[in-house]
Amino acid sequence: MNNLQATQIKALKAGIQGEVILPEDASFDTARQVWNAMIDKHPAAIVRCAATPDVVHAVNFAREQGLRLAVRGGGHNIAGSAVCDDGIVIDLSQMKAVYVDANNRRASIEGGATLADFDAAAQVHGLAIPLGINSTTGVAGLTLGAGFGWLSRKYGMTIDSLESAEVVTAAGEVLRASATEHPDLFWALRGGSGNFGVVTRFGFRLHPVGPNVLAGLIVYPFAEAKTVLQQYREFTDKAPDDLSVWTVLRKAPPLPFLPEAVHGQEVVILALLYTGDPEQGKTLIEPLHHFGTPVGAHVGVMPYVDWQKAFDPLLTPGARNYWKSHNFSKLEDGLFDAVIEYAGKLPSPQCEIFFGAIGGATTRPTPDAMAYAHRDARFVMNVHGRWDDPADDADCIRWARDYFKASAPFASGGVYVNFLTADEGDRVKAAYGQNYERLAQVKRRYDPANLFSTNQNIQPA
């Protein structure tokens, strides 16, 4: 373990308005923990920044001392990119202010804000952006990896609403990136992950949503999985952009609207959100109730902020998580056969496989308009291995990898970079697709020594 010398610690602390947490501090073990309990890294110091000048100082210190550097927004990344061994962690968790200009439908969001922070501020005005499905996720990491959520069919990827970013570069410069200022950097930030600097502030264009929406769950027995999935495919092919319906295959949680006999049994769940008039939405979603014989349903008008938190109980921090992911431009029967096989042998009650429906507005920009290239994707699949006991690591990881291989022949070839685990370095080019070489050129300009390498890394050209 790399322990900083007294002179180094003094120099680091001298330029920090926030807090420097060292291995000997009582709060260190808590401060180094991230969402995924499989990540167990020990940095030399954690710099909990109070403002952008703290970030500049920490970046300069890491560069000058030749130390590894990691950046923590929400600490939610599956691969553990928010922390590193023997280096400096820039922790933005205290920089979480959200400023909303409701009249102009614009927001300024600091780099440590979570989805919950943003939604709480924006929904006061009935405004939102497409932004994930778990309220404890950090806005920064989700956005830099392109980002999607319940609103993506209507309003695109998260980056499609991004208008500007304040970035601390590897040289310690503070730049504003937008369509007119450092446009090459702005292009790269929209899907290039954390490769180009520390984004301390995001500027978004907002959209009218809610504050109440039609949303909920319709649950079918696993025995009907094939026909439900086939009807789901036909339904989503014709669904308007205002409607998003995702499919989840897992063991039923003990939800109050499900019969007790269903708890712990494999089920197929349709999770839906309609952003238009709820009364029109009820008519539109009526066919979803008739794909078979539901074992339970809970659909109604609710606050959008509540729906954004609906899956939080299944995604609490502290469990062990391992993911595999594919993009799909279409859902084939062979894929359904594979997913039914592997959903029928879940190695843990917490494991699940979901298909997040995007398409609609996400497909309209050209693949080279931003760093995110996968505009042909209409579904993002996540194989979510999740369990508590380290003794189950091998079984759960094997299950995820085996299903990933079985579903590969039906995939469109790309992958959502935020779903890549730490052992998938061989898929980095697939994540950035046709834009990888251009990204490598931008990397060379803004980070030629690859200081920002604790990520799904783009090597400087």
Side-chain angles (χ1 to χ4, degrees), residues 75 120 238 274 287 379:
K238 302 171 185 174
Y274 181 66
F379 300 91

Side-chain angles (χ1 to χ4, degrees), residues 64-79:
E64 292 163 0
Q65 299 295 326
L67 295 169
R68 294 197 72 188
L69 182 64
V71 183
R72 178 179 185 138
H76 220 280
N77 181 262
I78 184 67

Side-chain angles (χ1 to χ4, degrees), residues 10-344:
K10 183 178 180 181
L12 178 58
K13 287 185 172 182
I16 296 297
Q17 179 185 346
E19 181 183 11
V20 176
I21 304 171
L22 300 169
E24 59 266 27
D25 293 334
S27 58
F28 179 77
D29 276 339
T30 300
R32 69 181 182 84
Q33 290 175 3
V34 292
W35 175 79
N36 184 3
M38 293 192 78
I39 308 301
D40 184 23
K41 296 181 181 178
H42 296 76
I46 299 168
V47 181
R48 193 163 277 167
C49 300
T52 298
D54 284 0
V55 177
V56 172
H57 181 70
V59 167
N60 288 337
F61 179 85
R63 185 189 65 249
E64 292 163 0
Q65 299 295 326
L67 295 169
R68 294 197 72 188
L69 182 64
V71 183
R72 178 179 185 138
H76 220 280
N77 181 262
I78 184 67
S81 61
V83 67
C84 61
D85 283 323
D86 301 331
I88 302 298
V89 171
I90 291 177
D91 184 339
L92 302 176
S93 61
Q94 302 306 301
M95 296 173 59
K96 55 185 179 181
V98 179
Y99 305 95
V100 176
D101 178 353
N103 290 333
N104 293 306
R105 292 183 177 171
R106 295 297 188 274
S108 174
I109 306 171
E110 288 190 316
T114 64
L115 275 55
D117 295 325
F118 169 76
D119 288 334
Q123 275 293 287
V124 171
H125 309 284
L127 298 169
I129 54 176
L131 201 65
I133 64 165
N134 177 204
S135 74
T136 63
T137 306
V139 171
L142 182 132
T143 301
L144 295 173
F148 68 94
W150 298 110
L151 304 177
S152 284
R153 287 178 48 77
K154 177 71 171 176
Y155 295 120
M157 305 297 284
T158 307
I159 51 171
D160 296 339
S161 299
L162 184 65
E163 293 188 328
S164 66
E166 178 185 85
V167 188
V168 179
T169 69
E173 297 178 291
V174 181
L175 303 180
R176 177 182 164 86
S178 69
T180 57
E181 304 157 286
H182 305 284
D184 57 340
L185 177 59
F186 185 55
W187 176 87
L189 291 172
R190 288 175 293 168
S193 192
N195 275 281
F196 303 96
V198 185
V199 179
T200 50
R201 188 178 301 276
F202 296 84
F204 283 103
R205 178 180 68 260
L206 308 183
H207 310 282
V209 175
N212 292 317
V213 295
L214 178 67
L217 306 174
I218 304 170
V219 184
Y220 283 97
F222 194 65
E224 298 180 2
K226 183 74 174 279
T227 58
V228 168
L229 291 171
Q230 288 171 329
Q231 291 173 88
Y232 168 76
R233 175 178 60 201
E234 294 172 12
F235 182 89
T236 54
D237 280 346
K238 302 171 185 174
D241 295 351
D242 303 79
L243 177 62
S244 184
V245 186
W246 293 22
T247 304
V248 187
L249 294 93
R250 62 167 294 134
K251 292 182 183 293
L255 298 171
F257 65 88
L258 292 178
E260 194 169 331
V262 176
H263 297 176
Q265 300 300 306
E266 289 84 1
V267 291
V268 182
I269 303 170
L270 302 180
L272 67 96
L273 170 75
Y274 181 66
T275 60
D277 174 51
E279 290 307 313
Q280 293 179 0
K282 289 175 184 177
T283 301
L284 183 65
I285 68 168
E286 182 61 25
L288 296 174
H289 291 276
H290 304 288
F291 285 0
T293 306
V295 294
H298 181 72
V299 178
V301 178
M302 64 184 73
Y304 173 74
V305 290
D306 289 352
W307 181 244
Q308 280 285 85
K309 297 177 181 178
F311 289 84
D312 286 6
L314 302 178
L315 296 166
T316 53
R320 303 176 74 77
N321 295 268
Y322 183 84
W323 295 354
K324 299 291 280 188
S325 182
H326 286 303
N327 287 344
F328 296 89
S329 57
K330 59 182 178 179
L331 302 178
E332 299 183 46
D333 280 357
L335 173 63
F336 295 157
D337 291 336
V339 73
I340 290 167
E341 176 187 350
Y342 282 88

Side-chain angles (χ1 to χ4, degrees), residues 290-461:
H290 304 288
F291 285 0
T293 306
V295 294
H298 181 72
V299 178
V301 178
M302 64 184 73
Y304 173 74
V305 290
D306 289 352
W307 181 244
Q308 280 285 85
K309 297 177 181 178
F311 289 84
D312 286 6
L314 302 178
L315 296 166
T316 53
R320 303 176 74 77
N321 295 268
Y322 183 84
W323 295 354
K324 299 291 280 188
S325 182
H326 286 303
N327 287 344
F328 296 89
S329 57
K330 59 182 178 179
L331 302 178
E332 299 183 46
D333 280 357
L335 173 63
F336 295 157
D337 291 336
V339 73
I340 290 167
E341 176 187 350
Y342 282 88
K345 49 185 181 184
L346 300 169
S348 154
Q350 300 180 69
C351 291
E352 67 179 26
I353 301 168
F354 78 70
F355 294 92
I358 51 175
T362 67
T363 64
R364 291 176 191 136
T366 59
D368 61 354
M370 307 170 196
Y372 173 75
H374 306 300
R375 297 298 181 169
D376 63 328
R378 293 183 58 238
F379 300 91
V380 179
M381 179 193 74
N382 191 23
V383 188
H384 188 168
R386 182 176 169 92
W387 64 100
D388 294 314
D389 189 345
D392 294 330
D393 285 5
D395 287 345
C396 292
I397 291 172
R398 185 186 308 110
W399 169 81
R401 289 174 175 170
D402 287 350
Y403 170 61
F404 170 78
K405 290 176 184 175
S407 58
F410 310 101
S412 56
V415 61
Y416 178 54
V417 69
N418 284 341
F419 284 173
L420 289 181
T421 50
D423 61 0
E424 293 189 282
D426 60 328
R427 301 187 75 202
V428 167
K429 287 193 175 182
Y432 299 120
Q434 68 182 52
N435 293 329
Y436 183 86
E437 296 305 325
R438 183 176 170 188
L439 284 162
Q441 295 289 341
V442 180
K443 178 77 167 176
R444 181 174 68 180
R445 178 174 182 184
Y446 291 97
D447 186 16
N450 204 12
L451 178 65
F452 298 107
S453 61
T454 307
N455 45 46
Q456 300 299 344
N457 193 233
I458 298 164
Q459 294 290 318

